[in-house]
Amino acid sequence: MERKTMNEHASTPTLEHQLGEKVNKYRHVTQTALSKVRIAAKENTKEYTIAMDFLTMSNNYFNDAIHFQEQGQLLLALAAFSYAHAWMDAGVRSGILDGLHDDVLFTLP
C-alpha cells in the first residue's frame, strides 16, 4: 500500500469543501431553472392551480436552501436545493410547467 505524504493530504479537498462546491453548483442550477420555467397550464384550470403550487413549493424550498447555506448547514441546503429542482422537474415532466425545451435543466416528456 502506498503512503501519502503530508502535501498529498493537503491537496485533497475535504468533504466539507466538496459539499460546499456541490451546494454552490446546485444553487446556481436551481436558480437558473427557476428563472426559466413557465406555467404551461391554462389559467383558471385545475392544472394551473397545481402548477402554481409546484412553483410555490419550489420557491419555498429554494429560499429554505439559501437560509440553510447561510447558516452553514450545507447538507440541509443541498437537500433543499434538490427538492426545489425536483418540484420544477416534476411539473415540466407532467406538462403543467414549461421548461422551454431545456433538456439540460429538466427531464422533458
Side-chain angles (χ1 to χ4, degrees):
M1 184 170 173
E2 184 178 308
R3 281 188 85 178
K4 291 188 176 191
T5 65
M6 291 261 264
N7 286 342
E8 288 176 309
H9 284 292
S11 66
T12 304
T14 64
L15 185 58
E16 181 96 9
H17 178 77
Q18 291 174 352
L19 181 57
E21 287 181 344
K22 288 284 186 198
V23 168
N24 288 332
K25 175 186 174 187
Y26 283 96
R27 178 178 179 158
H28 174 73
V29 167
T30 304
Q31 190 166 25
T32 301
L34 276 169
S35 70
K36 188 170 220 177
V37 72
R38 301 287 181 259
I39 295 177
K42 293 189 190 302
E43 284 190 58
N44 300 316
T45 64
K46 179 181 176 183
E47 290 78 15
Y48 186 87
T49 302
I50 294 168
M52 288 294 296
D53 190 42
F54 273 50
L55 286 179
T56 298
M57 293 299 292
S58 187
N59 278 299
N60 289 345
Y61 274 107
F62 183 77
N63 291 329
D64 287 349
I66 291 171
H67 172 77
F68 292 139
Q69 186 179 18
E70 290 171 351
Q71 297 299 311
Q73 297 176 303
L74 299 182
L75 193 55
L76 289 175
L78 184 58
F81 283 130
S82 296
Y83 268 87
H85 200 114
W87 276 100
M88 284 183 285
D89 203 34
V92 169
R93 182 78 178 160
S94 70
I96 59 173
L97 297 177
D98 184 355
L100 303 178
H101 309 290
D102 190 328
D103 64 352
V104 174
L105 288 174
F106 306 105
T107 307
L108 301 178

